[in-house]
Every structure is written in structure tokens, then in C-alpha cells.
């Protein structure tokens, strides 16, 4: 795959890539694809989130903590970004800011509701918005067995698949084959790697 080599480049400040999208869009699958593509590059870093959920609960690979431990880590300044969604607390470790400042492209599983916090923490922010056609989302969510198809379709009709706000957004439709959408995210990151980021004035 492209992006696996590490050519010399002029490096200024790096970039945070926040991957967002609705449930069922396949964010984790797409990020895993990109992680394989860039596995030999030290300047592409995939952030490991801290979540108040058992680390063995399935889904993304994360650091699971209890709420009390999460609150202590937050109070100790161990998070660059933290937010709450679906009854859980999520955070991106503070070390990611240092990686970005040293020129790395850091890729993290984010949330559309937390993008303002991401922008505050990482001035050089790119949002990858992973979407899929409503019927594809419905089929994937129905397969999880948590809601009926009718409830899922009603919820999807009420929700937006876009990103609201003034962000640099790359939208990837993950309705079809992973090789197609995977190539799209690899190309997006490869484009960022070819650029030299200039630190903003403080």
C-alpha cells in the first residue's frame, strides 16, 4: 500500500486527524486499514483513547478505566481532549499534542460533538467524516441487535451525516468495499504527509 515508506520531508508542526461519523459507518475498520498502510512510518501515529469502558468489551482497542480513575487523570492534566457521549467518558492522551508539535500526523477516533475541543487542542486539525448510505447504516446497526430496524431508520432520518462548523473536512463514503474507502483515507493521509505544516503564531 502507498504510504508505507518514509521519504525525507521538511517538517514543521504536524496535524491532528479526527475521524468522526455515525454509528455503523465503520470508523474503526477504516482506521485499522490505515494503520496497516502506515505501519512502517514513525511520523503517523494512531492515538489510543481512554474510555470508561472495560478494555475487553470489544470494539476499538482502548485503555479502559473506571470513572474515578478517569476523573483523576483529567484533573492531573493527562488529557488533550475529553468528552462524554452515550453515558461514557472519552479522552485523547496529552502525549498526542507533543507528537503533533514534533511533526507527526496523529489520527484519532473522535466525535462530531467534540470537534470544537479538538480544534482548541490542535490548531492544525483535519476532520475525516466517515459516512455510509442510510440503508447501509441501518443494516449494520440492525446486525448489532440493539434496536429494531424501524427505530434505527427513524433515528437516522432525524440525524445529520455532515459536519457542522468551519473545519477542513474530508468526507469518505464507506458504503461499499473497504478497499475503496480504505484507499481514500490512505490518500488523504498521504496528502497531509506531503505538506509541511507551519506552526501558527501563539
Amino acid at each position: 500500500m502507498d504510504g508505507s515508506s518514509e521519504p525525507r520531508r521538511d517538517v514543521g508542526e504536524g496535524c491532528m486527524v479526527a475521524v468522526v461519523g455515525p454509528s455503523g459507518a465503520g470508523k474503526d475498520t477504516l482506521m485499522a486499514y490505515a494503520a496497516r498502510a502506515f505501519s512502517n512510518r514513525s511520523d503517523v501515529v494512531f492515538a489510543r483513547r481512554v474510555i470508561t469502558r472495560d478494555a475487553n468489551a470489544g470494539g476499538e482497542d482502548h485503555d479502559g478505566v473506571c470513572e474515578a480513575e478517569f476523573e483523576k487523570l483529567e484533573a492531573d492534566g493527562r488529557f488533550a481532549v475529553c468528552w462524554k457521549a452515550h453515558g461514557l467518558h472519552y479522552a485523547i492522551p496529552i502525549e498526542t499534542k507533543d507528537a503533533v508539535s514534533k511533526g507527526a500526523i496523529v489520527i484519532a477516533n473522535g466525535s462530531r460533538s467534540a470537534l470544537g475541543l479538538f480544534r482548541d487542542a490542535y490548531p492544525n486539525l483535519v476532520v475525516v467524516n466517515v459516512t455510509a448510505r442510510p440503508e447501509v447504516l441501518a443494516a449494520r446497526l440492525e446486525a448489532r441487535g440493539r434496536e429494531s430496524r424501524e427505530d434505527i431508520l427513524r433515528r437516522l432520518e432525524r440525524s445529520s451525516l455532515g459536519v457542522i462548523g468551519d473545519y477542513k473536512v474530508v468526507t469518505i463514503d464507506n458504503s461499499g468495499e473497504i478497499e475503496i474507502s480504505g484507499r481514500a483515507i490512505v490518500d488523504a493521509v498521504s496528502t497531509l504527509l506531503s505538506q509541511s505544516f507551519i506552526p501558527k503564531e501563539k
Side-chain angles (χ1 to χ4, degrees):
M1 297 178 190
D2 293 343
S4 58
S5 60
E6 189 168 354
R8 292 180 62 186
R9 66 188 180 98
D10 294 330
V11 178
E13 187 170 354
C15 177
M16 165 57 74
V17 177
V19 181
V20 302
S23 296
K27 299 184 295 295
D28 292 335
T29 301
L30 209 53
M31 289 179 67
Y33 185 102
R36 291 191 295 272
F38 294 102
S39 61
N40 294 328
R41 295 203 61 133
S42 61
D43 54 355
V44 179
V45 177
F46 287 81
R48 184 181 174 96
R49 295 199 296 186
V50 178
I51 307 176
T52 53
R53 179 175 62 200
D54 192 320
N56 298 316
E60 72 175 278
D61 190 15
H62 67 281
D63 291 330
V65 299
C66 66
E67 287 198 18
E69 186 176 358
F70 189 98
E71 291 173 0
K72 184 178 187 307
L73 290 169
E74 183 180 4
D76 290 344
R78 301 305 306 159
F79 300 146
V81 180
C82 59
W83 68 98
K84 186 175 182 179
H86 312 298
L88 298 172
H89 293 275
Y90 299 81
I92 307 298
I94 192 67
E95 290 79 7
T96 56
K97 293 189 70 173
D98 185 53
V100 168
S101 70
K102 292 179 178 177
I105 307 298
V106 178
I107 302 172
N109 193 337
S111 168
R112 286 174 294 178
S113 65
L115 284 178
L117 300 173
F118 272 83
R119 182 163 53 191
D120 290 342
Y122 313 96
N124 288 326
L125 173 67
V126 175
V127 180
V128 171
N129 184 36
V130 182
T131 67
R133 297 190 303 274
E135 66 271 20
V136 174
L137 291 175
R140 290 174 181 170
L141 293 172
E142 186 179 14
R144 297 179 181 180
R146 300 171 187 170
E147 300 173 89
S148 70
R149 185 173 181 82
E150 292 72 20
D151 288 341
I152 291 168
L153 289 173
R154 280 195 294 269
R155 179 159 62 84
L156 290 175
E157 286 175 0
R158 295 194 301 268
S159 63
S160 170
L161 299 182
V163 172
I164 299 173
D166 184 19
Y167 301 98
K168 181 177 180 181
V169 180
V170 176
T171 298
I172 297 177
D173 187 328
N174 194 30
S175 300
E177 296 295 327
I178 184 60
E179 290 296 330
I180 297 174
S181 52
R183 173 54 47 196
I185 192 170
V186 167
D187 287 348
V189 175
S190 295
T191 297
L192 294 174
L193 285 168
S194 70
Q195 300 171 352
S196 179
F197 293 91
I198 307 300
K200 294 189 177 183
E201 293 183 4
K202 307 297 183 185

